[in-house]
Amino acid sequence: MTRKIAVLRPEPANATTAAAIEALGLAALRLPLFEVRAIGWTAPDPHAFDALVLTSANAVRLGGTDLDRFKALPVHAVGAATAAAAAQAGFSVVAVGDSDGVTLIADAARAGVARALHLGGRERKLQAGGPIATAITVYASDPLAIAAEALTRLEGTVTLVHSPNAARRLDRLTGHIDRESVRIAALSPAVADALGTGWGRIEAVAIPIDAELLALARTLAD
């Protein structure tokens, strides 16, 4: 029997990933562990920067109207989804990284970026320093209350885990379920390392994009 694919990421990305799973002919189980909300921020002078670094589409979706002040800056984005959100919002995307923010900013520095503005989440990996002149929080991911019985629905699934933060919370919440029955598809080795032990299988994709993660999940579901 083909396993269901469980999606833990926040809305609206949860619905997007679930739809992609169902388009593959598989059943999706939607169980967001977090909700994403905007955080008020004060926009600095855009002339102080030579690039805008974005590591999540949430920064574009939740950044508010002050984002418009930075549309003259070239955007360096992590992932196709982030790049697509930025382009749709009217930004000029000049580089798309398929790894992580650390690699992206290293590539940007080699391309001549010296005074980047990074707009990201509260738990972002990138901080000010080096080619990042300023890093500002524009959104946060807050834990949702999850009933213990809801978590038992993960048993027998392939569960997608998109971030170390989600991996750590999943580890904390699932001490009472049959972890051996759960197969994990992780977005990166760092995500896999944060999951704890006792799972039936844990595999991570080499390129941290949703298409690769879904391809892995499809393999694990059989």
Side-chain angles (χ1 to χ4, degrees):
M1 183 178 68
T2 301
R3 293 168 176 251
K4 288 184 177 181
I5 312 296
V7 188
L8 308 182
R9 65 195 315 198
E11 298 291 3
N14 191 292
T16 300
T17 299
I21 290 166
E22 291 164 355
L24 294 173
L26 301 172
L29 170 62
R30 296 169 60 183
L31 186 63
L33 299 185
F34 298 90
E35 64 177 353
V36 181
R37 62 179 177 84
I39 288 182
W41 60 290
T42 300
D45 180 0
H47 297 98
F49 307 101
D50 59 4
L52 179 62
V53 172
L54 300 172
T55 55
S56 170
N58 287 322
V60 180
R61 186 171 65 87
L62 299 172
T65 57
D66 277 344
L67 281 176
D68 292 341
R69 299 182 58 189
F70 302 96
K71 286 186 175 176
L73 294 177
V75 170
H76 295 249
V78 172
T82 304
Q88 187 173 9
F91 290 91
S92 175
V93 179
V94 298
V96 182
D98 61 5
S99 181
D100 56 23
V102 173
T103 302
L104 178 80
I105 199 61
D107 291 342
R110 283 190 289 270
V113 173
R115 302 182 317 280
L117 170 64
H118 174 41
L119 302 179
R122 184 175 56 199
E123 288 82 23
R124 63 184 181 274
K125 181 181 294 185
L126 295 180
Q127 303 294 337
I132 299 180
T134 302
I136 298 177
T137 297
V138 299
Y139 71 91
S141 296
D142 294 328
L144 287 169
I146 309 293
E149 57 268 25
L151 291 160
T152 62
R153 297 166 63 202
L154 297 176
E155 293 178 354
T157 69
V158 175
T159 297
L160 307 184
V161 187
H162 281 77
S163 71
N165 196 29
R168 287 187 289 269
R169 185 154 196 248
L170 182 66
D171 184 33
R172 291 193 299 270
L173 290 173
T174 53
H176 66 290
I177 76 167
D178 177 13
R179 290 196 188 197
E180 183 65 29
S181 72
V182 181
R183 298 175 181 176
I184 303 286
L187 192 63
S188 71
V191 173
D193 289 345
L195 280 161
T197 60
W199 305 101
R201 288 173 68 180
I202 299 175
E203 294 193 24
V205 295
I207 301 174
I209 58 176
D210 236 27
E212 293 290 325
L213 191 64
L214 293 185
L216 172 59
R218 190 172 192 175
T219 299
L220 293 175
D222 293 333

